[in-house]
């Protein structure tokens, strides 16, 4: 069956003009807004994907996974699992022009499937609440860089102490996450083309420019090439099941998969542009930025003679000491933490948009009201995360999972939420909706998806199975990603 909806574009005001007289064509999109074109979508969706996951999380995951071995498996996971799930989500969004709950309601009315969309909306909310706390740290570090806090005297011990006291201080931790949620809400209130797309069109090129400057600086440092080798030369001896789990989890998180963010972004996709092209561009951009971040951090680290191990503190603890030793390090520290804040912002925007789109589509809320209320509600859940890094003892080590409140949120929403979500989304497409329908919507407008049968096979069989294996592994071993 040929999809019934006409081509719909948003005007500068974000309103959708009636382009044809077919009521079927107008109903779904009216008032929702749409990307103004291919570039708008690619930048916004790449903005969602590229975030703390690429610049903060990828490098420390890589160091935990032995450098090149992790990167090798990660690239396989992106291509074999991430890209098929990405296309599955985008196809659902494009076909339904709805938020995750509305999308499943439309494709499987009268079933339990819309609950899967509800889980995605809840995960968006849950991830936003802890993600905004870490995003707040990046703003704090940007401020410190601007005020010259990473001067030559900052050694590993001083940097560790600074990080500990900074994230353990309730005022900055709460205040900065609130600031981040406010900025996010301001953009989301502006709508699709007028808010999210406009912000992404400015922020993404700035981010890329800053990262390229940092890359040139890092790889030309004395000894910097050792870091390049560490990241790009897989040591087969480092390949363990744990590395595979880390890599698959990183691929899902980094590409914003498993909770309907890409269903939501796909739902604003104009019908006349090529989804195979746009989807591939988003996946490539996400992968390249992660590698770029690695190619900045590891050469800088090796050049300073430091150990690549550093866990979640790698970027916040280790890098400032590297900047402290580098010529013009203070300037590069500003650039680095500015880029981290920008990347985080375009991701928090997408997390909030999933929840807002649900409230707008399904509950009939006004967009502005939805964004404001979600920011406030999210702030309430962000406070315990902000206080769980030393400020309040019992929040810092919860009986559940023996982790801090923030880490518990990450495990619940980031690990379990995204992987269960991705399994169910691929099962839905594979066995309920059907991969032929998925391909039809991806290829709408006659743009063929290269390797279409491969993607269909991966979505139907390999993705759910592979992610389920990872899920069982983390549940049994308690080793999260
Ligand atoms: N992909 C984002 C990152 O790499 O930081 C995080 C994220 C955003 C995950 C949106 C999930 C999501 F829906």
């Amino acid at each position: 069956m040929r999809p019934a909806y006409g081509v719909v574009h948003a005007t500068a005001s974000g309103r959708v003009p009636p382009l044809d007289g077919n009521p079927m064509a107008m109903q779904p999109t009216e008032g929702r807004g749409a990307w103004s074109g291919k570039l708008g979508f690619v930048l916004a969706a790449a903005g969602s994907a590229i975030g703390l996951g690429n610049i903060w999380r990828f490098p420390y995951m890589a160091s935990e996974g032995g450098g090149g071995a992790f990167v090798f498996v990660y690239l396989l996971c992106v291509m074999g699992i991430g890209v098929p799930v990405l296309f599955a989500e985008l196809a659902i969004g494009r076909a339904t022009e709805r938020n995750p709950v509305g999308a499943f309601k439309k494709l499987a009315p009268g079933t339990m499937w819309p609950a899967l969309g509800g889980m995605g909306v809840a995960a968006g909310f849950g991830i936003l609440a802890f993600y905004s706390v870490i995003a707040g740290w990046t703003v704090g570090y940007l401020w410190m860089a601007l005020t010259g806090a990473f001067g030559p005297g900052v050694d590993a011990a001083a940097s560790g102490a600074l990080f500990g006291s900074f994230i353990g201080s309730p005022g900055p931790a709460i205040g900065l996450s609130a600031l981040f949620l406010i900025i996010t809400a301001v953009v989301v209130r502006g709508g699709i083309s007028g808010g999210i797309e406009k912000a992404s069109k400015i922020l993404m090129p700035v981010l890329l420019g800053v990262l390229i400057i940092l890359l040139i600086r890092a790889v030309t440092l004395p000894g910097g090439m050792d870091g390049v080798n560490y990241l790009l030369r897989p040591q087969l001896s480092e390949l363990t099941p744990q590395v595979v789990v880390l890599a698959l989890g990183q691929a899902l998180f980094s590409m914003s998969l498993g909770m309907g963010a890409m269903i939501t972004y796909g739902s604003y996709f104009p019908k006349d542009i090529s989804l195979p092209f746009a989807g591939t561009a988003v996946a490539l951009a996400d992968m390249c930025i992660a590698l770029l971040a690695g190619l900045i951090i590891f050469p800088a680290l090796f050049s300073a003679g430091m150990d690549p191990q550093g866990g979640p503190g790698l970027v916040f603890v280790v890098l400032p000491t590297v900047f402290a030793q580098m010529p013009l390090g203070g300037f590069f520290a500003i650039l680095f933490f500015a880029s981290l804040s920008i990347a985080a912002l375009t991701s928090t925007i997408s997390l909030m948009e999933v929840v807002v789109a649900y409230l707008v589509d399904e509950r009939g809320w006004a967009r502005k009201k939805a964004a404001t209320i979600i920011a406030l509600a999210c702030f309430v859940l962000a406070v315990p995360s902000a206080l769980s890094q030393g400020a309040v003892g019992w929040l810092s080590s919860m009986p559940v999972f023996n982790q801090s409140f923030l880490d518990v949120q990450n495990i619940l929403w980031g690990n379990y939420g995204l992987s269960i979500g991705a399994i169910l989304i691929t099962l839905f497409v594979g066995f309920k909706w059907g991969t032929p329908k998925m391909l039809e919507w991806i290829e709408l407008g006659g743009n063929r998806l290269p390797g279409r049968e491969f993607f269909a096979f991966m979505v139907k069989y390999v993705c759910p199975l592979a992610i389920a294996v990872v899920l069982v592994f983390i549940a049994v071993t308690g080793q999260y990603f």
Side-chain angles (χ1 to χ4, degrees):
M1 188 193 87
R2 203 82 210 123
Y5 315 127
V7 176
V8 180
H9 284 289
T11 62
S13 67
R15 303 283 294 277
V16 181
L19 283 187
D20 61 28
N22 175 0
M24 275 296 283
M26 290 175 50
Q27 251 174 9
T29 33
E30 184 136 44
R32 289 185 86 238
W35 310 114
S36 66
K38 193 156 53 186
L39 185 69
F41 166 79
V42 170
L43 289 179
S48 167
I50 297 165
L52 294 173
N54 302 60
I55 306 176
W56 166 67
R57 200 172 188 275
F58 174 80
Y60 88 77
M61 285 289 142
S63 76
E64 284 180 10
F70 171 87
V71 174
F72 176 70
V73 184
Y74 164 76
L75 294 180
L76 288 182
C77 288
V78 168
M79 286 181 279
I81 312 283
V83 174
V85 179
L86 173 69
F87 276 120
E89 287 205 24
L90 290 175
I92 294 175
R94 188 182 215 187
T96 58
E97 302 186 330
R98 285 285 186 280
N99 65 89
V101 175
F104 289 106
K105 260 192 205 163
K106 197 159 174 180
L107 295 180
T111 66
M112 289 293 287
W113 285 104
L116 168 58
M119 204 177 88
V121 173
F125 184 84
I127 294 177
L128 179 59
F130 78 82
Y131 197 94
S132 61
V133 173
I134 303 168
W137 300 347
T138 68
V139 178
Y141 265 65
L142 173 60
W143 176 252
M144 286 193 252
L146 283 166
T147 52
F150 308 130
V154 181
D155 59 10
S159 182
L162 179 69
F163 182 59
S165 81
F166 174 71
I167 63 174
S169 316
I174 293 176
L176 290 169
S177 65
L179 175 73
F180 221 90
L181 286 169
I182 292 170
I183 300 173
T184 305
V186 168
V187 176
V188 173
R189 282 167 60 101
I192 300 308
S193 57
I196 300 177
E197 181 176 322
K198 219 182 232 170
S200 308
K201 277 186 168 161
I202 300 167
L203 296 175
M204 296 310 287
V206 173
L207 172 69
L208 185 64
V210 171
L211 289 177
I212 288 175
I213 296 173
L214 286 164
L215 173 76
I216 295 169
R217 170 67 284 197
V219 295
T220 53
L221 285 167
M225 288 315 282
D226 292 344
V228 176
N229 285 334
Y230 172 78
L231 196 68
L232 299 184
R233 285 230 180 115
Q235 303 284 334
L236 286 181
S237 58
E238 301 273 0
L239 262 183
T240 59
Q242 169 75 356
V243 169
V244 178
V245 171
L246 292 180
L248 184 52
Q250 175 64 21
L252 290 181
F253 185 83
S254 185
M255 294 173 79
S256 306
L257 300 175
M259 49 152 280
M262 290 299 167
I263 294 180
T264 309
Y265 272 29
S267 77
Y268 304 119
F269 204 86
K271 296 286 178 260
D272 59 341
I273 62 179
S274 162
L275 199 144
F277 171 85
T280 309
V282 171
L284 273 179
D286 185 60
M287 199 167 80
C288 289
I289 297 289
L291 290 174
L292 201 57
L295 289 173
I296 292 167
I297 288 161
F298 291 107
L301 220 66
F302 275 76
S303 157
M306 296 182 70
D307 192 335
Q309 300 303 322
L314 185 62
V315 155
F316 290 106
V317 177
V318 182
L319 267 196
T321 66
V322 174
F323 290 132
Q325 299 170 34
M326 206 189 254
L328 286 180
F331 171 69
F332 288 109
I334 295 171
L335 290 189
F336 181 80
F337 288 109
S339 71
L340 204 52
S341 308
I342 291 171
L345 179 61
T346 49
S347 296
T348 52
I349 290 169
S350 72
L351 288 162
M352 187 178 285
E353 176 58 27
V354 173
V355 192
V356 166
Y358 162 73
L359 293 172
V360 170
D361 291 349
E362 303 304 307
R363 307 264 154 193
W365 288 26
R367 167 171 284 277
K368 287 193 162 71
K369 171 182 155 191
T372 308
I373 291 181
I374 289 309
L376 280 171
C378 222
F379 176 65
V380 174
L381 188 62
V383 169
S385 276
L387 294 176
S388 72
Q389 301 301 302
V392 174
W394 67 272
L395 285 171
S396 307
S397 177
M398 306 271 294
V400 224
F401 303 117
N402 259 331
Q403 306 265 4
S404 72
F405 188 85
L406 191 153
D407 289 318
V408 172
Q409 299 299 304
N410 176 40
I411 292 168
L412 285 181
W413 305 114
N415 283 247
Y416 286 111
L418 296 188
S419 32
I420 294 172
I423 293 171
L424 292 175
I425 289 170
T426 48
L427 285 177
F428 174 81
V429 171
F431 296 93
K432 172 82 183 157
W433 194 37
T435 50
K437 278 265 182 308
M438 174 188 85
L439 291 174
E440 189 181 341
W441 281 99
I442 292 173
E443 296 178 336
L444 183 67
N447 303 290
R448 256 183 105 75
L449 176 68
R452 60 201 304 279
E453 301 305 330
F454 166 78
F455 281 116
F457 178 80
M458 295 306 274
V459 166
K460 190 164 181 175
Y461 301 108
V462 181
C463 294
L465 205 68
I467 306 168
V469 169
V470 165
L471 189 65
V472 170
F473 184 90
I474 59 173
V476 171
T477 63
Q479 293 181 319
Y480 302 102
F481 51 77

